[in-house]
Amino acid sequence: MPAACPPSAATVGVSCRGVTKDFGAGDTRTRVLHGIDLDIGCGALTLLVGPSGCGKTTLISIIAGLLDPSAGEVTLFGTPRSALAGDRLVDYRARNVGFVFQQYNLLPALTAAENVAVPLLVNRVPRREALVRARDVLAAVGLEAKCDAHPAQLSGGQQQRVAIARALVHEPRLLVCDEPTAALDSRSGHTVMELLKAVAVEPGRTVIVVTHDARVLELGDRIVEMADGRIVGGGTVAMLPGEMRA
Amino acid sequence: MNWVAWRMLNGDLAKYLGAVFGVAFGVLLVTQQASIFVGIMSRTANPLRDVREASIWVADPHLQNADEIEPMADNAVYRVRGVEGVDWAVRLYKGLARARRPDGMFRQVILIGLDDQSLVGAPRTILLGDLADLRRPDAVFLDKAGHQSLWPGEPLAVGREIEMNDRRAVVVGICETSAPFQSFPVVIATYSQATQLVARERKQLSFVVGAPVAGLTPPEACARIAAETGLDAMTYDQFMWRTIDYYLVNTGIPVNFGITIALGFVVGAAIAGQTFYLFTLENLRHFGALKAMGVNNRRLVGMVLLQAAVIGAVGYSLGCGMSVAFFEVTDRLLPDLRGIHLPWEIALAAAALVVVIIGLASAASLRRVLVLEPAVVFR
Ligand SMILES: Nc1ncnc2c1ncn2[C@@H]1O[C@H](COP(=O)(O)OP(=O)(O)O)[C@@H](O)[C@H]1O
Ligand SMILES: [Mg+2]
């Protein structure tokens, strides 16, 4: 069970203040994020939407501690991101962040259960114990029967479910998913999103899903809309512009 | 994480085996060629190496190697015996001769003449016959490989006749000798018999071999002999190394073997390095994901090095194993390669080369893994 958010921040898990990101230097320098201010709560599924190239991936990379912002501060569950550097940041990710990638990124040489166990191994949980816990989580995503299958033997939807199990096995406080349904047909995409909502959302955990798949928008508890490196809208599904719901 | 690294390696069997093959191929070629080179070089003093009783070798002062011999006058043996500190000294003949079968087929042979009384330098492994028969008139011993070359396909037998220098010689015994450099048959006779089997020269004595009295080292005895007789006196090691040095400097053998060994190393390193690098490149996405999931650079380096070390260890074992197996087989089946084995020094040197190969292969891979931005996982 992820720890509850600090009471001071109430339900806020991730907080961005003036987050700016520039790529390149000199003449080729381009600003991809323009001072993002954003609070994302715990215990809810937050969708980050917006046209391709607007900076969604860059923003969640910064939030997840994969990329340094050029300016501004990110606070993760009360800890300023700037206080974490080098191996401390890496360790922080290992303990507190789960990832789901568009291309699943499962290790082809490992079975489903072994793949799911990887974050526990990263956290130096003994292999035996890690594999037992991995099987439990696989059961929770409905893949009990596929524990010993290799990724190549699984459909795309099943692989993404394994990836979700992997992202959750170490019970991270932050789960970031970048277009988890983009490589899937609409039915599997929907299953994956429903699963995410069912198993990932817990009190004390912040779940951010980047998507531009309009079909899954209804599953978000909150939708943050980006355009050109800025937050241009956010709120409940009902507040979204019509074309995005279509 | 090391377990994950190990499974990654096994998961891509084609690349794993490809890289292992590269290392194994390099090790096989390097160890095999280096062993043959060392074996052949150490043969240059054969079959005189078989004269183990003697620690002192005395020859004409201009001797350069064991094959080009300027004979000394026969009385040199008495002059050596006269030096104080020499326990014993006897004559030894070595020369080239022609052995002809009754039907006219002939071969160039190495003729060894042993002191008639003591038979110092007599073969130790006698397959057929009795050493004492060597003292019978016209008697000679022939080495096994020589028998096979003079009478191919025929079983070893005594009693066969050859003609040398228009004289009849009877093969009364078959023995093993250390394989000579030129792979000629070796004919062994008494000194007096041997000098009859070659054209007569005014001087005939190739070597005087002997040993110092107890309490005197061979080098000390050699120094005395040289000083008193003006002859060249050497320990066996000095004699052997003079011969080996001569062949190293005056033949293309080192260059030829050197080229093969270098090629083996380069090709092996290229295959192993290339395959391992490709393996890393293909797994870069996964290394990136692991980085994102909180595996720090130190652990990633450990993973890559473990993978490289496994490839190196397996490839090395395979390569050395094949090399040993090769020499096991050739030792028994190919007379030309008999007595050649993989010396541990070469096995050790090959291990060092593997470390270099693996180091080079993983250096390139490590660079890619270390500069990898974890954010690439979302690209
Ligand atoms: N490493 C980088 N170097 C230079 N430009 C980048 C880099 N990463 C992203 N960008 C640029 O930043 C912009 C936003 O990219 P991204 O965050 O991937 O958008 P999205 O995920 O919304 O499609 C794009 O114009 C992209 O080309
Ligand atoms: Mg993106």
Side-chain angles (χ1 to χ4, degrees):
Chain A
M1 190 78 15
C5 295
S8 60
T11 58
V12 174
V14 174
S15 156
C16 302
R17 287 292 168 268
V19 169
T20 299
K21 183 67 184 175
D22 299 321
F23 283 117
D27 290 346
T28 61
R29 188 181 177 94
T30 43
R31 179 149 295 189
V32 173
L33 296 178
H34 302 265
I36 301 274
D37 292 317
L38 178 67
D39 289 316
I40 304 174
C42 296
L45 181 66
T46 302
L47 296 182
L48 186 58
V49 301
S52 190
C54 72
K56 306 182 295 294
T57 297
T58 305
L59 179 59
I60 60 159
S61 297
I62 290 171
I63 289 174
L66 299 179
L67 210 58
D68 292 326
S70 307
E73 177 69 286
V74 178
T75 307
L76 300 165
F77 308 95
T79 308
R81 165 81 158 61
S82 54
L84 304 167
D87 273 3
R88 286 191 62 202
L89 180 61
V90 178
D91 284 343
Y92 186 89
R93 282 204 307 267
R95 274 181 280 113
N96 299 297
V97 188
F99 293 93
V100 176
F101 313 106
Q102 179 178 332
Q103 293 300 332
Y104 330 129
N105 272 5
L106 299 175
L107 285 165
L110 304 190
T111 64
E114 290 166 347
N115 264 293
V116 173
V118 166
L120 294 176
L121 299 177
V122 173
N123 282 296
R124 302 185 192 280
V125 173
R127 196 160 80 230
R128 242 169 208 291
E129 186 189 335
L131 285 171
V132 171
R133 280 167 67 183
R135 284 170 181 272
D136 289 346
V137 181
L138 270 178
V141 299
L143 286 176
E144 221 165 348
K146 299 290 185 187
C147 281
D148 298 319
H150 282 264
Q153 297 164 307
L154 301 173
S155 70
Q158 288 171 329
Q159 288 189 58
Q160 197 59 301
R161 279 150 70 192
V162 173
I164 290 169
R166 178 177 66 179
L168 294 175
V169 71
H170 55 311
E171 301 184 344
R173 292 205 280 186
L174 173 63
L175 177 67
V176 289
C177 314
D178 197 15
E179 317 230 10
T181 62
L184 301 175
D185 62 68
S186 63
R187 221 162 54 87
S188 339
H190 212 84
T191 317
V192 160
M193 283 304 293
E194 280 178 329
L195 182 75
L196 261 180
K197 190 168 168 90
V199 301
V201 178
E202 287 196 19
R205 178 180 290 151
T206 295
V207 181
I208 309 173
V209 178
V210 169
T211 184
H212 57 230
D213 186 351
R215 298 162 306 197
V216 302
L217 292 183
E218 67 204 45
L219 292 169
D221 296 312
R222 184 190 171 199
I223 292 171
V224 174
E225 202 190 344
M226 280 183 76
D228 285 335
R230 292 185 173 84
I231 307 288
V232 293
T236 59
V237 183
M239 291 162 67
L240 265 183
E243 73 270 20
M244 288 229 56
R245 256 179 297 147
Chain B
M1 280 299 104
N2 288 342
W3 174 76
V4 173
W6 165 252
R7 293 291 306 269
M8 280 168 80
L9 197 56
N10 286 286
D12 192 346
L13 217 53
K15 289 223 175 46
Y16 178 27
L17 292 183
V20 163
F21 168 80
V23 174
F25 173 81
V27 168
L28 172 65
L29 216 59
V30 167
T31 56
Q32 194 230 36
Q33 291 294 305
S35 299
I36 293 179
F37 172 68
V38 169
I40 284 182
M41 278 297 125
S42 68
R43 274 179 179 184
T44 52
N46 287 359
L48 295 178
R49 165 196 298 266
D50 297 338
V51 184
R52 292 196 220 147
E53 303 95 321
S55 53
I56 298 172
W57 290 71
V58 183
D60 179 88
H62 301 294
L63 177 102
Q64 294 195 68
N65 60 64
D67 290 314
E68 295 173 272
I69 293 160
E70 170 72 22
M72 302 174 285
D74 266 19
N75 69 4
V77 68
Y78 304 115
R79 291 163 61 204
V80 173
R81 282 177 190 164
V83 174
E84 204 190 318
V86 172
D87 187 22
W88 58 267
V90 295
R91 297 186 180 101
L92 184 73
Y93 178 86
K94 179 184 182 263
L96 289 177
R98 230 177 351 270
R100 197 188 310 272
R101 276 189 344 203
D103 64 1
M105 186 274 205
F106 72 94
R107 285 221 60 190
Q108 180 96 310
V109 300
I110 295 169
L111 178 61
I112 303 285
L114 309 174
D115 175 61
D116 292 41
Q117 278 78 48
S118 64
L119 296 185
V120 162
R124 310 218 162 200
T125 312
I126 291 172
L127 304 173
L128 281 180
D130 186 348
L131 201 55
D133 290 344
L134 212 50
R135 296 201 181 89
R136 285 176 16 201
D138 305 332
V140 295
F141 266 53
L142 183 61
D143 78 318
K144 180 180 160 201
H147 186 284
Q148 285 164 350
S149 123
L150 272 164
W151 291 281
E154 294 188 34
L156 298 181
V158 293
R160 289 201 163 101
E161 284 188 16
I162 49 178
E163 186 199 289
M164 296 175 72
N165 190 30
D166 295 330
R167 288 179 67 108
R168 192 182 77 111
V170 183
V171 177
V172 298
I174 308 287
C175 60
E176 296 267 25
T177 64
S178 58
F181 178 66
Q182 306 99 326
S183 64
F184 290 152
V186 179
V187 172
I188 298 172
T190 59
Y191 184 87
S192 52
Q193 171 78 359
T195 51
Q196 304 293 313
L197 296 177
V198 288
R200 175 109 195 133
E201 286 186 85
R202 194 173 60 81
K203 294 173 172 182
Q204 306 194 99
L205 180 54
S206 314
F207 300 99
V208 174
V209 296
V213 293
L216 197 66
T217 63
E220 287 165 348
C222 287
R224 284 193 199 173
I225 295 168
E228 287 187 29
T229 62
L231 296 169
D232 197 352
M234 305 156 276
T235 64
Y236 175 73
D237 277 353
Q238 289 170 334
F239 173 53
M240 182 185 74
W241 278 110
R242 185 184 295 187
T243 301
I244 291 176
D245 286 347
Y246 176 85
Y247 278 90
L248 285 178
V249 172
N250 293 289
T251 66
I253 298 171
V255 174
N256 280 314
F257 276 93
I259 289 171
T260 315
I261 290 168
L263 282 181
F265 173 72
V266 168
V267 173
I271 296 175
Q274 164 108 336
T275 319
F276 185 64
Y277 184 61
L278 278 181
F279 170 80
T280 309
L281 279 195
E282 272 186 16
N283 279 298
L284 219 47
R285 204 158 61 89
H286 301 300
F287 282 119
L290 290 173
K291 241 182 180 179
M293 286 190 262
V295 179
N296 62 30
N297 275 340
R298 203 161 12 85
R299 289 169 91 185
L300 282 176
V301 169
M303 289 177 75
V304 172
L305 287 184
L306 175 85
Q307 290 167 340
V310 167
I311 288 170
V314 175
Y316 175 75
S317 310
L318 262 177
C320 267
M322 286 193 285
S323 218
V324 168
F326 173 86
F327 288 126
E328 276 301 309
V329 172
T330 54
D331 188 35
R332 257 177 277 146
L333 298 185
L334 288 183
D336 283 349
L337 286 182
R338 72 185 191 272
I340 294 187
H341 293 284
L342 173 61
W344 66 265
E345 293 92 338
I346 287 177
L348 195 69
L353 283 186
V354 169
V355 171
V356 172
I357 292 179
I358 287 306
L360 292 176
S362 43
S365 296
L366 278 174
R367 212 184 61 84
R368 294 301 298 262
V369 171
L370 288 178
V371 302
L372 188 64
E373 282 288 338
V376 299
V377 290
F378 285 141
R379 295 288 153 211

